[in-house]
Amino acid sequence: MSAWFTGRLPENWFAGSPKIVVDREEITVLGTLPPLSVAEGLPDAERAAAMDGYVERFREETRERRIDIAGEAEHRFRRKVSWGVVVGDETVMFTTLSVPVMTRLRQPERQVLDTLVAAGVARSRSDALAWCVRLVGKHTDTWLADLRDALQHVDRIRAEGPGGLD
């Protein structure tokens, strides 16, 4: 899948190959924009404004092509495509997919969510749960990366195995 995107995207869009992140519902294409030389040496506020303009210009200039490529990819891979860029040390997402997830929680877990809502950390239980997931993800990046690597290894081994057993 990454190879398809690397071959399909215009070479001048990103500095290097884009990062492709895939799950069951979504493909995220995240490319690093080339450095903006006119922003060098500017005061922080002006540099931030120049970077914002740079990202918006890229977004507008590539919109039609991104839509076409996303349509092809969605047909080919049967997943929605989201786009984002990395500029400096900031990641800006243009599109993202929010997917509902059903879960059953016991009273102690619901109380955690209700506390976050009551404290104003989240607007709803759904927002509170998303906040918890982001917090866990932030503090366990290395562990989650190791787990994802292990799952990819399992997928490779499974693919090398015999076909379906009758």
Side-chain angles (χ1 to χ4, degrees), residues 134-162:
R134 283 191 302 273
L135 185 65
V136 168
K138 179 179 177 182
H139 292 290
T140 58
D141 278 342
T142 303
W143 180 79
L144 287 172
D146 291 346
L147 187 58
R148 287 183 187 112
D149 288 344
L151 288 171
Q152 287 177 346
H153 181 70
V154 168
D155 288 342
R156 281 193 303 274
I157 298 297
R158 187 178 292 138
E160 293 170 2

PDB file of all heavy atoms in Angstrom, residues 134-162:
ATOM      1  N   ARG A 134      -6.216   8.749  24.003  1.00  0.00           N
ATOM      2  CA  ARG A 134      -5.073   9.586  23.579  1.00  0.00           C
ATOM      3  C   ARG A 134      -3.998   9.625  24.663  1.00  0.00           C
ATOM      4  O   ARG A 134      -2.808   9.552  24.368  1.00  0.00           O
ATOM      5  CB  ARG A 134      -5.537  11.000  23.242  1.00  0.00           C
ATOM      6  CG  ARG A 134      -6.229  11.123  21.905  1.00  0.00           C
ATOM      7  CD  ARG A 134      -6.437  12.575  21.484  1.00  0.00           C
ATOM      8  NE  ARG A 134      -7.211  13.344  22.443  1.00  0.00           N
ATOM      9  CZ  ARG A 134      -8.545  13.422  22.463  1.00  0.00           C
ATOM     10  NH1 ARG A 134      -9.248  12.776  21.570  1.00  0.00           N
ATOM     11  NH2 ARG A 134      -9.163  14.149  23.364  1.00  0.00           N
ATOM     12  N   LEU A 135      -4.411   9.735  25.924  1.00  0.00           N
ATOM     13  CA  LEU A 135      -3.462   9.792  27.033  1.00  0.00           C
ATOM     14  C   LEU A 135      -2.679   8.487  27.143  1.00  0.00           C
ATOM     15  O   LEU A 135      -1.450   8.503  27.283  1.00  0.00           O
ATOM     16  CB  LEU A 135      -4.200  10.089  28.340  1.00  0.00           C
ATOM     17  CG  LEU A 135      -3.325  10.300  29.569  1.00  0.00           C
ATOM     18  CD1 LEU A 135      -2.471  11.559  29.405  1.00  0.00           C
ATOM     19  CD2 LEU A 135      -4.193  10.422  30.814  1.00  0.00           C
ATOM     20  N   VAL A 136      -3.351   7.367  27.043  1.00  0.00           N
ATOM     21  CA  VAL A 136      -2.664   6.079  27.098  1.00  0.00           C
ATOM     22  C   VAL A 136      -1.708   5.960  25.920  1.00  0.00           C
ATOM     23  O   VAL A 136      -0.555   5.550  26.071  1.00  0.00           O
ATOM     24  CB  VAL A 136      -3.678   4.910  27.116  1.00  0.00           C
ATOM     25  CG1 VAL A 136      -2.983   3.584  26.888  1.00  0.00           C
ATOM     26  CG2 VAL A 136      -4.433   4.902  28.441  1.00  0.00           C
ATOM     27  N   GLY A 137      -2.186   6.320  24.724  1.00  0.00           N
ATOM     28  CA  GLY A 137      -1.337   6.260  23.534  1.00  0.00           C
ATOM     29  C   GLY A 137      -0.096   7.124  23.661  1.00  0.00           C
ATOM     30  O   GLY A 137       1.004   6.719  23.269  1.00  0.00           O
ATOM     31  N   LYS A 138      -0.248   8.287  24.241  1.00  0.00           N
ATOM     32  CA  LYS A 138       0.884   9.210  24.400  1.00  0.00           C
ATOM     33  C   LYS A 138       1.939   8.643  25.350  1.00  0.00           C
ATOM     34  O   LYS A 138       3.133   8.806  25.128  1.00  0.00           O
ATOM     35  CB  LYS A 138       0.359  10.544  24.939  1.00  0.00           C
ATOM     36  CG  LYS A 138       1.411  11.590  25.170  1.00  0.00           C
ATOM     37  CD  LYS A 138       0.781  12.878  25.679  1.00  0.00           C
ATOM     38  CE  LYS A 138       1.818  13.917  25.990  1.00  0.00           C
ATOM     39  NZ  LYS A 138       1.215  15.138  26.530  1.00  0.00           N
ATOM     40  N   HIS A 139       1.493   7.974  26.398  1.00  0.00           N
ATOM     41  CA  HIS A 139       2.417   7.493  27.420  1.00  0.00           C
ATOM     42  C   HIS A 139       2.915   6.068  27.187  1.00  0.00           C
ATOM     43  O   HIS A 139       3.726   5.575  27.960  1.00  0.00           O
ATOM     44  CB  HIS A 139       1.774   7.607  28.803  1.00  0.00           C
ATOM     45  CG  HIS A 139       1.591   9.032  29.227  1.00  0.00           C
ATOM     46  ND1 HIS A 139       2.638   9.854  29.552  1.00  0.00           N
ATOM     47  CD2 HIS A 139       0.483   9.800  29.319  1.00  0.00           C
ATOM     48  CE1 HIS A 139       2.186  11.056  29.849  1.00  0.00           C
ATOM     49  NE2 HIS A 139       0.877  11.050  29.711  1.00  0.00           N
ATOM     50  N   THR A 140       2.434   5.432  26.128  1.00  0.00           N
ATOM     51  CA  THR A 140       2.858   4.062  25.863  1.00  0.00           C
ATOM     52  C   THR A 140       3.283   3.886  24.408  1.00  0.00           C
ATOM     53  O   THR A 140       3.202   2.784  23.866  1.00  0.00           O
ATOM     54  CB  THR A 140       1.726   3.063  26.195  1.00  0.00           C
ATOM     55  OG1 THR A 140       0.578   3.399  25.417  1.00  0.00           O
ATOM     56  CG2 THR A 140       1.393   3.057  27.661  1.00  0.00           C
ATOM     57  N   ASP A 141       3.760   4.956  23.778  1.00  0.00           N
ATOM     58  CA  ASP A 141       4.144   4.906  22.360  1.00  0.00           C
ATOM     59  C   ASP A 141       5.108   3.767  22.053  1.00  0.00           C
ATOM     60  O   ASP A 141       4.920   3.040  21.083  1.00  0.00           O
ATOM     61  CB  ASP A 141       4.772   6.231  21.915  1.00  0.00           C
ATOM     62  CG  ASP A 141       3.735   7.281  21.580  1.00  0.00           C
ATOM     63  OD1 ASP A 141       2.574   6.909  21.366  1.00  0.00           O
ATOM     64  OD2 ASP A 141       4.100   8.464  21.522  1.00  0.00           O
ATOM     65  N   THR A 142       6.142   3.596  22.858  1.00  0.00           N
ATOM     66  CA  THR A 142       7.140   2.563  22.596  1.00  0.00           C
ATOM     67  C   THR A 142       6.528   1.181  22.698  1.00  0.00           C
ATOM     68  O   THR A 142       6.725   0.330  21.826  1.00  0.00           O
ATOM     69  CB  THR A 142       8.317   2.692  23.583  1.00  0.00           C
ATOM     70  OG1 THR A 142       8.867   4.005  23.461  1.00  0.00           O
ATOM     71  CG2 THR A 142       9.395   1.668  23.293  1.00  0.00           C
ATOM     72  N   TRP A 143       5.734   0.959  23.746  1.00  0.00           N
ATOM     73  CA  TRP A 143       5.099  -0.334  23.924  1.00  0.00           C
ATOM     74  C   TRP A 143       4.144  -0.637  22.775  1.00  0.00           C
ATOM     75  O   TRP A 143       4.134  -1.731  22.227  1.00  0.00           O
ATOM     76  CB  TRP A 143       4.370  -0.373  25.260  1.00  0.00           C
ATOM     77  CG  TRP A 143       3.684  -1.682  25.521  1.00  0.00           C
ATOM     78  CD1 TRP A 143       4.267  -2.836  25.959  1.00  0.00           C
ATOM     79  CD2 TRP A 143       2.301  -1.974  25.338  1.00  0.00           C
ATOM     80  NE1 TRP A 143       3.319  -3.829  26.065  1.00  0.00           N
ATOM     81  CE2 TRP A 143       2.106  -3.324  25.682  1.00  0.00           C
ATOM     82  CE3 TRP A 143       1.211  -1.225  24.909  1.00  0.00           C
ATOM     83  CZ2 TRP A 143       0.860  -3.934  25.623  1.00  0.00           C
ATOM     84  CZ3 TRP A 143      -0.024  -1.846  24.846  1.00  0.00           C
ATOM     85  CH2 TRP A 143      -0.186  -3.184  25.194  1.00  0.00           C
ATOM     86  N   LEU A 144       3.324   0.351  22.383  1.00  0.00           N
ATOM     87  CA  LEU A 144       2.390   0.146  21.280  1.00  0.00           C
ATOM     88  C   LEU A 144       3.129  -0.101  19.969  1.00  0.00           C
ATOM     89  O   LEU A 144       2.708  -0.931  19.163  1.00  0.00           O
ATOM     90  CB  LEU A 144       1.449   1.344  21.145  1.00  0.00           C
ATOM     91  CG  LEU A 144       0.376   1.476  22.228  1.00  0.00           C
ATOM     92  CD1 LEU A 144      -0.358   2.805  22.088  1.00  0.00           C
ATOM     93  CD2 LEU A 144      -0.600   0.321  22.176  1.00  0.00           C
ATOM     94  N   ALA A 145       4.239   0.589  19.742  1.00  0.00           N
ATOM     95  CA  ALA A 145       5.031   0.373  18.528  1.00  0.00           C
ATOM     96  C   ALA A 145       5.583  -1.047  18.503  1.00  0.00           C
ATOM     97  O   ALA A 145       5.552  -1.715  17.456  1.00  0.00           O
ATOM     98  CB  ALA A 145       6.158   1.394  18.435  1.00  0.00           C
ATOM     99  N   ASP A 146       6.091  -1.523  19.645  1.00  0.00           N
ATOM    100  CA  ASP A 146       6.583  -2.909  19.723  1.00  0.00           C
ATOM    101  C   ASP A 146       5.458  -3.900  19.451  1.00  0.00           C
ATOM    102  O   ASP A 146       5.647  -4.896  18.743  1.00  0.00           O
ATOM    103  CB  ASP A 146       7.194  -3.192  21.101  1.00  0.00           C
ATOM    104  CG  ASP A 146       8.499  -2.443  21.330  1.00  0.00           C
ATOM    105  OD1 ASP A 146       9.071  -1.929  20.346  1.00  0.00           O
ATOM    106  OD2 ASP A 146       8.932  -2.385  22.500  1.00  0.00           O
ATOM    107  N   LEU A 147       4.287  -3.634  20.003  1.00  0.00           N
ATOM    108  CA  LEU A 147       3.141  -4.521  19.794  1.00  0.00           C
ATOM    109  C   LEU A 147       2.734  -4.531  18.318  1.00  0.00           C
ATOM    110  O   LEU A 147       2.473  -5.602  17.750  1.00  0.00           O
ATOM    111  CB  LEU A 147       1.975  -4.071  20.678  1.00  0.00           C
ATOM    112  CG  LEU A 147       0.745  -4.965  20.715  1.00  0.00           C
ATOM    113  CD1 LEU A 147       1.116  -6.367  21.192  1.00  0.00           C
ATOM    114  CD2 LEU A 147      -0.307  -4.355  21.627  1.00  0.00           C
ATOM    115  N   ARG A 148       2.705  -3.371  17.675  1.00  0.00           N
ATOM    116  CA  ARG A 148       2.360  -3.306  16.247  1.00  0.00           C
ATOM    117  C   ARG A 148       3.389  -4.051  15.403  1.00  0.00           C
ATOM    118  O   ARG A 148       3.031  -4.748  14.447  1.00  0.00           O
ATOM    119  CB  ARG A 148       2.246  -1.856  15.803  1.00  0.00           C
ATOM    120  CG  ARG A 148       0.997  -1.170  16.321  1.00  0.00           C
ATOM    121  CD  ARG A 148       0.864   0.256  15.799  1.00  0.00           C
ATOM    122  NE  ARG A 148      -0.250   0.917  16.437  1.00  0.00           N
ATOM    123  CZ  ARG A 148      -0.143   1.937  17.288  1.00  0.00           C
ATOM    124  NH1 ARG A 148       1.055   2.437  17.581  1.00  0.00           N
ATOM    125  NH2 ARG A 148      -1.211   2.481  17.820  1.00  0.00           N
ATOM    126  N   ASP A 149       4.675  -3.908  15.749  1.00  0.00           N
ATOM    127  CA  ASP A 149       5.724  -4.650  15.029  1.00  0.00           C
ATOM    128  C   ASP A 149       5.509  -6.157  15.165  1.00  0.00           C
ATOM    129  O   ASP A 149       5.652  -6.905  14.201  1.00  0.00           O
ATOM    130  CB  ASP A 149       7.118  -4.278  15.546  1.00  0.00           C
ATOM    131  CG  ASP A 149       7.548  -2.891  15.131  1.00  0.00           C
ATOM    132  OD1 ASP A 149       6.936  -2.322  14.203  1.00  0.00           O
ATOM    133  OD2 ASP A 149       8.504  -2.370  15.747  1.00  0.00           O
ATOM    134  N   ALA A 150       5.171  -6.594  16.369  1.00  0.00           N
ATOM    135  CA  ALA A 150       4.932  -8.018  16.587  1.00  0.00           C
ATOM    136  C   ALA A 150       3.743  -8.502  15.764  1.00  0.00           C
ATOM    137  O   ALA A 150       3.778  -9.582  15.174  1.00  0.00           O
ATOM    138  CB  ALA A 150       4.698  -8.295  18.079  1.00  0.00           C
ATOM    139  N   LEU A 151       2.693  -7.696  15.685  1.00  0.00           N
ATOM    140  CA  LEU A 151       1.519  -8.075  14.894  1.00  0.00           C
ATOM    141  C   LEU A 151       1.859  -8.150  13.407  1.00  0.00           C
ATOM    142  O   LEU A 151       1.368  -9.033  12.698  1.00  0.00           O
ATOM    143  CB  LEU A 151       0.379  -7.085  15.128  1.00  0.00           C
ATOM    144  CG  LEU A 151      -0.289  -7.183  16.498  1.00  0.00           C
ATOM    145  CD1 LEU A 151      -1.244  -6.017  16.711  1.00  0.00           C
ATOM    146  CD2 LEU A 151      -1.005  -8.502  16.663  1.00  0.00           C
ATOM    147  N   GLN A 152       2.696  -7.244  12.919  1.00  0.00           N
ATOM    148  CA  GLN A 152       3.119  -7.300  11.520  1.00  0.00           C
ATOM    149  C   GLN A 152       3.914  -8.575  11.261  1.00  0.00           C
ATOM    150  O   GLN A 152       3.773  -9.204  10.215  1.00  0.00           O
ATOM    151  CB  GLN A 152       3.940  -6.069  11.153  1.00  0.00           C
ATOM    152  CG  GLN A 152       3.109  -4.817  11.026  1.00  0.00           C
ATOM    153  CD  GLN A 152       3.949  -3.588  10.722  1.00  0.00           C
ATOM    154  OE1 GLN A 152       5.169  -3.611  10.852  1.00  0.00           O
ATOM    155  NE2 GLN A 152       3.297  -2.520  10.321  1.00  0.00           N
ATOM    156  N   HIS A 153       4.738  -8.967  12.235  1.00  0.00           N
ATOM    157  CA  HIS A 153       5.510 -10.203  12.109  1.00  0.00           C
ATOM    158  C   HIS A 153       4.562 -11.411  12.029  1.00  0.00           C
ATOM    159  O   HIS A 153       4.742 -12.300  11.197  1.00  0.00           O
ATOM    160  CB  HIS A 153       6.484 -10.354  13.281  1.00  0.00           C
ATOM    161  CG  HIS A 153       7.333 -11.583  13.206  1.00  0.00           C
ATOM    162  ND1 HIS A 153       8.335 -11.724  12.276  1.00  0.00           N
ATOM    163  CD2 HIS A 153       7.302 -12.739  13.923  1.00  0.00           C
ATOM    164  CE1 HIS A 153       8.887 -12.916  12.421  1.00  0.00           C
ATOM    165  NE2 HIS A 153       8.280 -13.544  13.422  1.00  0.00           N
ATOM    166  N   VAL A 154       3.537 -11.419  12.870  1.00  0.00           N
ATOM    167  CA  VAL A 154       2.549 -12.496  12.842  1.00  0.00           C
ATOM    168  C   VAL A 154       1.863 -12.532  11.474  1.00  0.00           C
ATOM    169  O   VAL A 154       1.682 -13.600  10.886  1.00  0.00           O
ATOM    170  CB  VAL A 154       1.515 -12.337  13.978  1.00  0.00           C
ATOM    171  CG1 VAL A 154       0.321 -13.259  13.785  1.00  0.00           C
ATOM    172  CG2 VAL A 154       2.165 -12.569  15.329  1.00  0.00           C
ATOM    173  N   ASP A 155       1.496 -11.372  10.940  1.00  0.00           N
ATOM    174  CA  ASP A 155       0.855 -11.310   9.622  1.00  0.00           C
ATOM    175  C   ASP A 155       1.766 -11.876   8.539  1.00  0.00           C
ATOM    176  O   ASP A 155       1.311 -12.595   7.643  1.00  0.00           O
ATOM    177  CB  ASP A 155       0.454  -9.875   9.273  1.00  0.00           C
ATOM    178  CG  ASP A 155      -0.732  -9.380  10.078  1.00  0.00           C
ATOM    179  OD1 ASP A 155      -1.458 -10.228  10.661  1.00  0.00           O
ATOM    180  OD2 ASP A 155      -0.932  -8.159  10.134  1.00  0.00           O
ATOM    181  N   ARG A 156       3.069 -11.555   8.594  1.00  0.00           N
ATOM    182  CA  ARG A 156       4.019 -12.083   7.601  1.00  0.00           C
ATOM    183  C   ARG A 156       4.128 -13.599   7.701  1.00  0.00           C
ATOM    184  O   ARG A 156       4.103 -14.299   6.694  1.00  0.00           O
ATOM    185  CB  ARG A 156       5.405 -11.436   7.779  1.00  0.00           C
ATOM    186  CG  ARG A 156       5.512 -10.041   7.196  1.00  0.00           C
ATOM    187  CD  ARG A 156       6.963  -9.585   7.116  1.00  0.00           C
ATOM    188  NE  ARG A 156       7.658  -9.595   8.399  1.00  0.00           N
ATOM    189  CZ  ARG A 156       7.641  -8.602   9.275  1.00  0.00           C
ATOM    190  NH1 ARG A 156       6.988  -7.499   9.008  1.00  0.00           N
ATOM    191  NH2 ARG A 156       8.316  -8.701  10.407  1.00  0.00           N
ATOM    192  N   ILE A 157       4.236 -14.103   8.916  1.00  0.00           N
ATOM    193  CA  ILE A 157       4.340 -15.552   9.120  1.00  0.00           C
ATOM    194  C   ILE A 157       3.070 -16.242   8.638  1.00  0.00           C
ATOM    195  O   ILE A 157       3.111 -17.281   7.967  1.00  0.00           O
ATOM    196  CB  ILE A 157       4.609 -15.886  10.609  1.00  0.00           C
ATOM    197  CG1 ILE A 157       5.934 -15.284  11.067  1.00  0.00           C
ATOM    198  CG2 ILE A 157       4.559 -17.385  10.848  1.00  0.00           C
ATOM    199  CD1 ILE A 157       7.144 -15.823  10.340  1.00  0.00           C
ATOM    200  N   ARG A 158       1.922 -15.662   8.968  1.00  0.00           N
ATOM    201  CA  ARG A 158       0.641 -16.235   8.546  1.00  0.00           C
ATOM    202  C   ARG A 158       0.552 -16.272   7.017  1.00  0.00           C
ATOM    203  O   ARG A 158       0.101 -17.258   6.440  1.00  0.00           O
ATOM    204  CB  ARG A 158      -0.492 -15.402   9.124  1.00  0.00           C
ATOM    205  CG  ARG A 158      -1.872 -16.010   8.897  1.00  0.00           C
ATOM    206  CD  ARG A 158      -2.970 -15.164   9.527  1.00  0.00           C
ATOM    207  NE  ARG A 158      -2.869 -15.208  10.980  1.00  0.00           N
ATOM    208  CZ  ARG A 158      -3.022 -14.152  11.768  1.00  0.00           C
ATOM    209  NH1 ARG A 158      -3.296 -12.966  11.265  1.00  0.00           N
ATOM    210  NH2 ARG A 158      -2.932 -14.263  13.076  1.00  0.00           N
ATOM    211  N   ALA A 159       1.000 -15.214   6.342  1.00  0.00           N
ATOM    212  CA  ALA A 159       0.957 -15.155   4.883  1.00  0.00           C
ATOM    213  C   ALA A 159       1.888 -16.189   4.242  1.00  0.00           C
ATOM    214  O   ALA A 159       1.615 -16.668   3.141  1.00  0.00           O
ATOM    215  CB  ALA A 159       1.331 -13.751   4.408  1.00  0.00           C
ATOM    216  N   GLU A 160       2.972 -16.532   4.912  1.00  0.00           N
ATOM    217  CA  GLU A 160       3.922 -17.507   4.384  1.00  0.00           C
ATOM    218  C   GLU A 160       3.453 -18.939   4.601  1.00  0.00           C
ATOM    219  O   GLU A 160       3.981 -19.873   3.993  1.00  0.00           O
ATOM    220  CB  GLU A 160       5.295 -17.331   5.032  1.00  0.00           C
ATOM    221  CG  GLU A 160       5.969 -16.031   4.667  1.00  0.00           C
ATOM    222  CD  GLU A 160       7.218 -15.769   5.503  1.00  0.00           C
ATOM    223  OE1 GLU A 160       7.579 -16.616   6.352  1.00  0.00           O
ATOM    224  OE2 GLU A 160       7.821 -14.705   5.309  1.00  0.00           O
ATOM    225  N   GLY A 161       2.468 -19.116   5.454  1.00  0.00           N
ATOM    226  CA  GLY A 161       1.999 -20.459   5.796  1.00  0.00           C
ATOM    227  C   GLY A 161       1.168 -21.071   4.685  1.00  0.00           C
ATOM    228  O   GLY A 161       0.945 -20.475   3.636  1.00  0.00           O
ATOM    229  N   PRO A 162       0.708 -22.277   4.950  1.00  0.00           N
ATOM    230  CA  PRO A 162      -0.111 -22.961   3.947  1.00  0.00           C
ATOM    231  C   PRO A 162      -1.427 -22.225   3.721  1.00  0.00           C
ATOM    232  O   PRO A 162      -1.875 -21.473   4.578  1.00  0.00           O
ATOM    233  CB  PRO A 162      -0.345 -24.344   4.568  1.00  0.00           C
ATOM    234  CG  PRO A 162      -0.176 -24.135   6.028  1.00  0.00           C
ATOM    235  CD  PRO A 162       0.823 -23.020   6.181  1.00  0.00           C
TER     236      PRO A 162
END
